[in-house]
Amino acid sequence: MISKSGQSSEALLSCYAECDPDSLDRTAFAVRLDFSQYKAEVPLHQHRQGQLVMALHGAVTCRTEKALWIVPPDCGVWIPGGILHSNQATSNAHLSYLFVEPGAAALPMECCTLSVSPMLREMILRLADVPVNFAGNEHIERLVRVMLDELVQMPIEALSLPASHHPKINAITAALTDDPSDRRTLADWAAHVAMSERSLKRLMVEETGLTFGRWRRQLHLVIALRELASGASVQRVSSDLGYESPTAFIVMFKKALGTTPARYFSSQSADRSPRSN
């Protein structure tokens, strides 16, 4: 496979090839990554530090054993230290990773999507301008303290898809991830996995915390965020998800996030593109 940069994907480096986070002794540090230069997928791994994955352009999917997250603009996925996770970036992704030493701030103990204010975003990008091997000074230390204070204040957003290890839920998840336009009902899926509709309904809530209808809408939302962030049109996404019209898809999107796709992604304008080094 050839990437947009013209390089073979096999020739691209891991984004951690030039910097091992666990080798650095810093309260917090940040890096900025253009994934045209790195492998899009970072396989299952973990860090000693907590990690905030922030999308500057495009999108990235983060997976743990409990859930799947899409990182849209103005948000970041917080992954506490020691949690196994994998990342899959879209081909146009520009990301920033912020690493925070355990105990340096009162951050969530579970993975979650955090809103990222414009001020916090700029502080993280300023820190990313500092070389990772920089010894630090009082100015940078003050920046880190204020940045962490701001990060702790960020609200949690409901932009994850609960996962399950149950084989029957996994079978449904795999099928709908492969073909999200599949509109089979709960009764149809119950027959498919050899269960009664009542038993599957109960199992879905037990395993994911959501009814089947809400879980499928959340799956559609997660997929839509990823595809829209990578440049797909609303018309194409609505068709791929099996909606009768773009209007029906926009109604679902607005109900979930309180705004239309166009307004939601308006923050990805040129003035919010990653700054050149």
Side-chain angles (χ1 to χ4, degrees):
M1 181 186 296
I2 303 298
S3 71
K4 288 186 177 181
S5 65
Q7 293 177 276
S8 165
S9 60
E10 288 78 10
L12 295 173
L13 295 173
S14 163
C15 64
Y16 295 119
E18 300 169 11
C19 172
D20 176 11
D22 287 339
S23 68
L24 299 174
D25 184 16
R26 300 261 296 275
T27 301
F29 67 94
V31 294
R32 199 162 35 197
L33 302 166
D34 175 353
F35 269 77
S36 67
Q37 301 172 15
Y38 298 102
K39 293 179 180 178
E41 182 175 3
V42 183
L44 203 63
H45 65 291
Q46 62 185 4
H47 310 288
R48 179 175 55 81
Q49 306 97 329
Q51 179 185 16
L52 183 74
V53 180
M54 186 172 73
L56 308 174
H57 186 76
V60 60
T61 304
C62 299
R63 295 175 185 267
T64 70
E65 65 175 2
K66 293 184 178 180
L68 176 150
W69 288 263
I70 294 292
V71 187
D74 295 326
C75 290
V77 167
W78 170 249
I79 305 167
I83 291 183
L84 285 168
H85 62 284
S86 64
N87 300 330
Q88 175 76 45
T90 56
S91 59
N92 65 338
H94 293 256
L95 309 179
S96 179
Y97 289 167
L98 171 68
F99 295 93
V100 181
E101 276 292 310
L107 289 160
M109 300 300 293
E110 300 287 339
C111 293
C112 60
T113 302
L114 296 175
S115 182
V116 175
S117 68
M119 183 175 77
L120 177 59
R121 178 183 186 272
E122 292 306 314
M123 284 192 288
I124 292 172
L125 293 183
R126 173 65 183 88
L127 188 61
D129 289 337
V130 179
V132 293
N133 57 357
F134 183 65
N137 57 35
E138 289 185 5
H139 172 69
I140 297 301
E141 290 172 0
R142 287 195 298 270
L143 171 67
V144 167
R145 287 197 297 271
V146 174
M147 180 195 66
L148 293 179
D149 285 345
E150 182 73 4
L151 180 59
V152 168
Q153 302 302 315
M154 292 298 101
I156 295 175
E157 305 287 345
L159 294 176
S160 65
L161 179 73
S164 168
H165 289 301
H166 194 285
K168 300 202 174 192
I169 301 298
N170 269 340
I172 297 172
T173 301
L176 284 173
T177 302
D178 185 58
D179 180 14
S181 66
D182 190 327
R183 288 291 176 171
R184 277 182 280 183
T185 65
L186 180 65
D188 295 331
W189 284 112
H192 179 74
V193 297
M195 294 182 72
S196 70
E197 181 178 359
R198 184 175 180 179
S199 294
L200 180 58
K201 181 179 181 180
R202 183 172 60 249
L203 180 65
M204 179 64 73
V205 173
E206 289 174 352
E207 289 291 313
T208 71
L210 301 174
T211 64
F212 175 72
R214 288 185 60 199
W215 183 90
R216 181 158 60 182
R217 284 194 297 273
Q218 191 71 3
L219 171 67
H220 284 175
L221 181 63
V222 164
I223 293 173
L225 286 169
R226 181 190 66 200
E227 296 304 307
L228 291 168
S230 67
S233 67
V234 168
Q235 184 172 1
R236 179 185 143 192
V237 172
S238 65
S239 176
D240 288 347
L241 294 179
Y243 286 84
E244 294 180 356
S245 68
T247 300
F249 166 72
I250 291 170
V251 168
M252 180 280 292
F253 192 99
K254 188 173 182 179
K255 185 176 180 181
L257 296 179
T259 189
T260 65
R263 289 178 179 172
Y264 187 84
F265 283 93
S266 64
S267 60
Q268 267 191 308
S269 56
D271 62 336
R272 291 184 62 82
S273 296
R275 296 170 295 176
S276 59
N277 292 322

